[in-house]
Amino acid sequence: MKKKALLIFTLIFWMVAACTFLSMKVEEEMIPQVTSMEPDRGAGWDKDPTLPADCIIEDENGQHVYSIYEGTGWEAGTRAAEVSGWFQMEDKIMLGNAWGDFVQYSSKPLREGELLEVIRGGDKVEDRWLAVFPQGLELELNWDGAELPKGVSVEEWNQNAIQLHIDDDLAPFMQGRAKSRVPYIAGATIYSFNDMYQLLDNFTAFGLLLGILTLVLVLWITSCAFSKRARRNRWVLWANLALGLLLLVCVPIVLDSVDLPSSLLPRERITDFGAITGAMDQFFGALKGFSRPISGPGALSASLPKSEAGQAIIMAKNDVLVRPVLYAILGALLGGVIALTEYVALWHVNRPRITKGRHHAGTKQEN
């Protein structure tokens, strides 16, 4: 009974420690990134302060304006507070008495009191945007001859989506900032190629974490079997315990390599995998929509978009999607190999042997 309790406690301790590391990483990754600005008070302090209309953040619950404040005590840190009493007049937001900074753009929709990471400036990077319009929306603009801002060019388009090349986008990607730069895509859901690549790059780390988990579970199961003869198999039990602790140390090391794009994360819970897979399905489905389906030997290549960038990111997705499952299987196989090695080693150590002394004693008795 004591042996079973100790084994169960060991597994619980390992899982609690691993989940603690994971929750700390999740809390860090879920913090939205925002840019800030101060309201414009015009010619004097007696004027009502105003903000540009792109400070309005839209979500499924409507339109919102957020100010930025520094919390104290249990709510320490830079946080968002929703502003009431504002109204929009043409391209401006009219406020009452307002002080401090306000959110202009955000990497994802915000919540009241949520922690924020305020980005000052940002690096200019080359990127591509995929603007996906609601199904059935007719585009009134001929994108082949559209006048676009400097540094923006069209690579592919159809009646449901447009792929744009951006020479000098600011990182991190923020959908509101993209819509402000190219007003033609204001009614679309916009995805960044750089952010999608960043998400795909994390599948290796996800696979390593699954591999570690399956390996630990196999080691724990084999330890339960070896514990029936704990005294004789004690060195195997100690070895499995050491391996488990070593794998626990590897968990925060692997988590440190995880860097998720904020624009593709769910609003509230990172466990909302449906939101992430839905975004991926919409992104890659729109890319494949640029192709012309053809039956026959060339059907596979015909299902890819024309642009090299679109083809490359689809190939990258196909390469990494199986990695988590593959690494989990490898972890289970490695655990099985370790268990088999331990069993063979125990059999070799504990197998019956005929010593020299006994052999000579038997010879004398025969004489």
Side-chain angles (χ1 to χ4, degrees):
M1 189 66 182
K2 291 182 179 179
K3 297 174 186 176
K4 292 182 179 179
L6 181 60
L7 286 169
I8 294 174
F9 172 78
T10 303
L11 179 62
I12 293 175
F13 168 79
W14 197 97
M15 296 298 293
V16 168
C19 289
T20 301
F21 293 135
L22 182 61
S23 64
M24 292 170 61
K25 185 63 178 180
V26 167
E27 183 179 0
E28 175 187 339
E29 292 293 323
M30 287 296 289
I31 297 176
Q33 299 166 314
V34 302
T35 60
S36 64
M37 68 175 305
E38 294 183 0
D40 182 13
R41 295 187 173 275
W45 291 99
D46 57 337
K47 302 292 184 180
D48 289 334
T50 62
L51 291 170
D54 53 7
C55 288
I56 298 175
I57 298 176
E58 296 187 17
D59 58 21
E60 64 276 7
N61 298 320
Q63 297 181 329
H64 311 271
V65 176
Y66 293 93
S67 63
I68 300 174
Y69 72 97
E70 291 294 329
T72 58
W74 291 102
E75 296 186 351
T78 304
R79 297 182 179 270
E82 187 169 0
V83 178
S84 60
W86 61 272
F87 63 93
Q88 184 176 357
M89 181 178 293
E90 297 180 352
D91 60 344
K92 291 185 178 181
I93 301 171
M94 308 300 295
L95 303 169
N97 291 327
W99 303 93
D101 292 338
F102 287 76
V103 174
Q104 185 175 18
Y105 304 118
S106 66
S107 57
K108 63 177 184 176
L110 304 178
R111 293 176 296 156
E112 174 73 21
E114 188 172 23
L115 281 170
L116 303 175
E117 180 186 355
V118 180
I119 305 297
R120 309 291 182 183
D123 298 329
K124 290 189 176 182
V125 295
E126 182 182 5
D127 196 3
R128 286 176 172 84
W129 297 343
L130 183 66
V132 183
F133 287 82
Q135 188 174 2
L137 178 65
E138 294 292 334
L139 302 180
E140 300 177 354
L141 181 66
N142 180 6
W143 285 90
D144 291 329
E147 295 185 4
L148 298 173
K150 184 179 178 181
V152 180
S153 58
V154 177
E155 291 189 332
E156 292 193 75
W157 70 282
N158 57 24
Q159 294 301 308
N160 294 316
I162 304 104
Q163 180 179 316
L164 301 174
H165 179 267
I166 314 298
D167 291 334
D168 54 351
D169 186 29
L170 283 175
F173 170 77
M174 298 182 183
Q175 192 167 176
R177 184 160 55 192
K179 292 179 179 181
S180 177
R181 182 171 183 178
V182 186
Y184 297 130
I185 58 177
T189 301
I190 308 170
Y191 298 99
S192 161
F193 272 57
N194 287 348
D195 279 12
M196 189 59 68
Y197 269 118
Q198 185 179 345
L199 177 64
L200 295 176
D201 288 342
N202 289 280
F203 274 69
T204 299
F206 299 156
L208 288 173
L209 291 172
L210 283 176
I212 290 174
L213 179 60
T214 54
L215 177 54
V216 167
L217 288 176
V218 171
L219 291 176
W220 182 77
I221 292 171
T222 56
S223 296
C224 290
F226 288 136
S227 66
K228 294 179 180 179
R229 296 183 177 180
R231 180 167 297 181
R232 192 175 73 171
N233 302 333
R234 60 183 179 276
W235 70 268
V236 172
L237 296 174
W238 282 110
N240 286 349
L241 179 61
L243 283 173
L245 292 176
L246 180 61
L247 291 171
L248 182 60
V249 173
C250 292
V251 170
I253 297 176
V254 175
L255 286 174
D256 190 56
S257 66
V258 174
D259 185 16
L260 298 172
S262 181
S263 67
L264 295 176
L265 294 181
R267 180 179 182 180
E268 296 183 10
R269 298 182 303 275
I270 202 169
T271 53
D272 186 5
F273 301 118
I276 300 176
T277 57
M280 293 182 65
D281 290 343
Q282 187 177 43
F283 178 87
F284 289 104
L287 278 182
K288 292 180 180 179
F290 292 137
S291 63
R292 296 179 180 178
I294 300 176
S295 59
L300 180 60
S301 60
S303 65
L304 296 175
K306 297 179 182 178
S307 70
E308 294 182 1
Q311 295 177 16
I313 198 168
I314 289 176
M315 294 298 184
K317 180 205 72 169
N318 294 337
D319 288 341
V320 303
L321 277 184
V322 296
R323 287 184 186 176
V325 177
L326 178 62
Y327 283 26
I329 295 173
L330 289 176
L333 290 176
L334 180 58
V337 170
I338 292 174
L340 180 61
T341 303
E342 292 173 343
Y343 177 80
V344 171
L346 284 173
W347 176 83
H348 180 74
V349 170
N350 297 321
R351 67 189 175 93
R353 292 183 176 84
I354 300 176
T355 62
K356 283 186 177 182
R358 291 182 179 178
H359 176 73
H360 289 310
T363 306
K364 289 180 180 179
Q365 287 177 2
E366 289 179 0
N367 294 335

